Amino acid sequence: MWFTEDCQTKIRRKAGGNLSKFTYIDLFAGIGGFRQALDNLGGHCVFASEIDKFAAKAYETLYGHKPAGDITQIDAKDVPDHDLLVGGFPCQSFSVAGKRKGFEDTRGTLFFEIARIAKEKHPKALLLENVKGLVNHDKGRTLDVMIETLNEIGYTVDFDVLNSKYFGVPQNRERIFI
């Protein structure tokens, strides 16, 4: 399992200590990396969203659950209640491999869709993933805005950069987990 023991402990604490019964939503779901891990921890996905038609088809094939499309077009009230919100929101705006336009790029603003849904639904915890470049994007101001946004809607924020090569994955891939 790719979650660190510390991460598992934090999720258990936020879920009231019992990981055998929790619900979650999977935003920017891709082909279901978060779902694979969370289902193995006993979670039950009650909603998923993915805009890319090929990723959505793979997700449906793998999990028998067709993700909703564009999250910007979904009313937060229509999202089922859940214990945990997870999402690997688009990274192109923050990546050193991209133009690094941040919030000036529409994809960079999609983080605020997570905040919009969290504000409406108040899940016990959020687990977000993005590229390491988010940490120093715009001299750290972008991450500060994200943290402040989550603080304003009632969340205490912690984050760490983890490298997949230390978790049994055959690649060297650093990501921030919030």
Side-chain angles (χ1 to χ4, degrees):
M1 180 148 349
W2 65 269
F3 283 124
T4 65
E5 284 188 38
D6 185 50
C7 185
Q8 289 180 44
T9 300
K10 287 178 183 179
I11 292 171
R12 276 190 184 90
R13 192 172 342 119
K14 292 291 184 181
N18 184 358
L19 269 186
S20 64
K21 297 178 183 176
F22 72 96
T23 58
Y24 67 93
I25 65 169
D26 192 2
L27 304 182
F28 313 102
I31 64 167
F34 270 122
R35 184 163 185 165
Q36 184 72 37
L38 294 172
D39 285 357
N40 285 335
L41 286 171
H44 175 68
C45 184
V46 295
F47 178 86
S49 177
E50 174 54 53
I51 195 170
D52 181 271
K53 66 180 180 180
F54 298 110
K57 183 64 176 167
Y59 192 98
E60 183 179 11
T61 299
L62 290 167
Y63 301 105
H65 175 213
K66 182 177 182 178
D70 186 350
I71 195 65
T72 67
Q73 302 301 308
I74 297 169
D75 188 328
K77 290 177 178 26
D78 294 334
V79 174
D81 291 340
H82 51 279
D83 299 312
L84 177 65
L85 181 158
V86 298
F89 56 102
C91 64
Q92 299 92 331
S93 305
F94 315 113
S95 174
V96 295
K99 294 182 182 176
R100 302 200 82 190
K101 289 187 175 187
F103 297 139
E104 293 174 21
D105 180 337
T106 303
R107 296 170 297 187
T109 64
L110 291 172
F111 159 80
F112 297 104
E113 295 299 315
I114 292 168
R116 175 179 67 88
I117 292 169
K119 183 177 181 181
E120 174 70 30
K121 299 312 247 183
H122 306 288
K124 295 175 185 175
L126 288 75
L127 179 59
L128 312 176
E129 176 268 340
N130 211 285
V131 293
K132 177 184 172 183
L134 179 59
V135 174
N136 63 16
H137 182 269
D138 194 20
K139 299 179 181 174
R141 289 188 285 263
T142 301
L143 183 58
D144 285 345
V145 167
M146 291 176 176
I147 291 169
E148 288 171 17
T149 299
L150 294 173
N151 287 162
E152 287 171 6
I153 60 174
Y155 292 95
T156 301
V157 178
D158 191 11
F159 66 90
D160 202 357
V161 174
L162 302 173
N163 191 325
S164 60
K165 72 181 183 181
Y166 299 118
F167 301 97
V169 178
Q171 65 180 189
N172 183 17
R173 188 172 178 148
E174 293 181 299
R175 292 289 183 263
I176 184 173
F177 288 87
I178 304 168

